[in-house]
Amino acid sequence: MEKQRILIVEDEKEIADLMGIYLQNDGYYVIKASTGIEGLKILEGEEIHLVILDIMMPGIDGLEVCRRIRQELNIPILMVSAKSEDIDKIMGLTTGADDYMTKPFNPLELIARVKSQLRRYIQLNPQNNSAKEADEITLNGLTINKRTHKVILFQKEVNLTPIEFDILLLLASNPGRVFTVDEIFENVWKEDYLESDNTVRVHIRKIRDKIEIDSKKPFFIKTVWGVGYKFETTEEY
């Protein structure tokens, strides 16, 4: 089986080397870039399955690199930063990152998060699922293809990250059912939910920005105040 390929974009050589050692020891093929521009060039010519991206770098920073990656690719992005404030985490997630870690971090936690993202992106990809279920969900002009991971809204493709797709698929597969924030987190991230974690709400906001005509008055993803979120199909535009 071909090794999964991970790109580390990190200007601090010691940190990049440390991450590389742990990832290689766990069986991954690692490519390293010390600047955002170098990382983007590698992505143009190499098949990469996951990107580990530092925020603070010379030249273009990690947030801008993340934006540019998202214009072309839906591969998982794990963002790392020395900053621990919630606003930095939110900025990272709203630019398209799938997960966020604060330096210094435990290398074993890094490996666990990498495995979680790759499992979702590759091993749990619906195209590898032999279950005899419909490949598509079509509701009120929105089509979600489980096999290709494509989302079409009124004949126009919507570019979602892997995490955003999984959240949308979870809700759309259970129309009318209300999911709490911790249920969404545990179903999508496959980890226990932390009460202070704002990750789910950030991703819901990003999904709404992409599929709703008016994200402040959502049609598809409704907020059930004090409970959570549900996918609504009973109203008309």
Side-chain angles (χ1 to χ4, degrees):
M1 180 177 178
E2 184 181 355
K3 289 184 177 182
Q4 293 162 353
R5 301 164 66 87
I6 297 176
L7 172 63
I8 299 172
V9 186
E10 168 65 68
D11 64 313
E12 296 186 51
K13 186 177 184 302
E14 290 184 359
I15 294 178
D17 289 345
L18 180 63
M19 288 191 290
I21 290 170
Y22 274 88
L23 290 166
Q24 288 169 346
N25 287 343
D26 214 68
Y28 298 106
Y29 183 88
V30 174
I31 302 173
K32 289 178 280 189
S34 59
T35 68
I37 292 296
E38 183 184 356
L40 291 171
K41 288 182 179 178
I42 290 172
L43 284 165
E44 289 177 0
E46 299 271 0
E47 181 184 11
I48 300 296
H49 299 108
L50 180 143
V51 178
I52 298 175
L53 180 61
D54 185 29
I55 290 183
M56 304 298 292
M57 291 187 296
I60 61 172
D61 64 16
L63 296 175
E64 178 60 25
V65 173
C66 185
R67 293 188 189 98
R68 296 190 190 185
I69 293 174
R70 280 290 169 252
Q71 291 174 3
E72 303 292 336
L73 299 169
N74 279 333
I75 58 175
I77 299 174
L78 172 57
M79 195 161 275
V80 296
S81 173
K83 296 182 177 181
S84 60
E85 290 82 357
D86 285 342
I87 187 61
D88 296 302
K89 179 176 182 178
I90 291 171
M91 286 180 63
L93 294 173
T94 55
T95 55
D98 296 287
D99 204 352
Y100 183 103
M101 291 187 67
T102 303
K103 300 177 185 176
F105 48 79
N106 186 323
L108 296 180
E109 181 184 0
L110 173 70
I111 296 296
R113 295 199 183 204
V114 165
K115 285 183 176 180
S116 175
Q117 292 298 328
L118 287 172
R119 181 171 61 247
R120 181 177 305 109
Y121 179 65
I122 298 175
Q123 296 175 3
L124 297 184
N125 191 310
Q127 68 182 3
N128 298 324
N129 190 339
S130 60
K132 294 182 179 179
E133 58 182 1
D135 284 337
E136 290 188 347
I137 296 174
T138 301
L139 298 164
N140 296 84
L142 181 71
T143 298
I144 305 166
N145 191 300
K146 303 176 186 179
R147 181 176 59 82
T148 64
H149 273 212
K150 284 188 177 181
V151 175
I152 306 295
L153 180 62
F154 299 130
Q155 287 76 54
K156 184 177 180 180
E157 185 172 348
V158 180
N159 187 25
L160 298 181
T161 70
I163 289 289
E164 290 167 358
F165 179 90
D166 285 353
I167 292 174
L168 179 61
L169 179 61
L170 173 68
L171 297 177
S173 296
N174 301 274
R177 174 183 168 182
V178 181
F179 285 83
T180 64
V181 170
D182 56 343
E183 285 177 330
I184 294 173
F185 188 93
E186 290 170 6
N187 272 278
V188 173
W189 276 264
K190 310 299 182 186
E191 299 172 4
D192 292 335
Y193 176 74
L194 301 177
E195 187 174 350
S196 62
D197 198 316
N198 197 39
T199 301
V200 171
R201 293 180 179 87
V202 170
H203 281 86
I204 291 288
R205 185 167 70 244
K206 292 297 293 182
I207 297 170
R208 282 173 169 168
D209 288 342
K210 295 177 180 181
I211 69 170
E212 303 285 2
I213 293 176
D214 183 353
S215 61
K216 294 182 180 179
K217 297 178 180 179
F219 170 79
F220 290 109
I221 300 179
K222 297 285 190 178
T223 299
V224 181
W225 296 107
V227 184
Y229 301 95
K230 69 175 180 176
F231 193 94
E232 186 63 78
T233 64
T234 58
E235 299 181 15
E236 298 292 338
Y237 274 110

